[in-house]
Amino acid sequence: MPELGDYAAEVLSAYAASLLLLVALVGLSLRRSRKVRAQLDAVEARRKDAP
């Protein structure tokens, strides 16, 4: 680990905040993707049933 000196707490908290935001964005994207996929599957199922 690099020597961060007097700013270790600030640098590490910035890294932690960035990592937390990235994880949150990926999680939200995956959740939204599953929701949209389910909606698309429902539309395609209705389309197959239609004459």
Side-chain angles (χ1 to χ4, degrees):
M1 183 165 157
E3 180 60 38
L4 300 175
D6 295 336
Y7 300 103
E10 290 84 357
V11 171
L12 292 176
S13 65
Y15 278 128
S18 298
L19 184 60
L20 181 65
L21 286 173
L22 283 172
V23 168
L25 286 172
V26 168
L28 290 172
S29 295
L30 290 173
R31 189 174 80 179
R32 176 73 176 148
S33 173
R34 283 192 296 267
K35 182 179 178 182
V36 169
R37 170 73 62 164
Q39 290 173 342
L40 180 60
D41 289 343
V43 169
E44 288 177 346
R46 282 196 313 262
R47 182 75 175 154
K48 284 182 184 178
D49 293 338

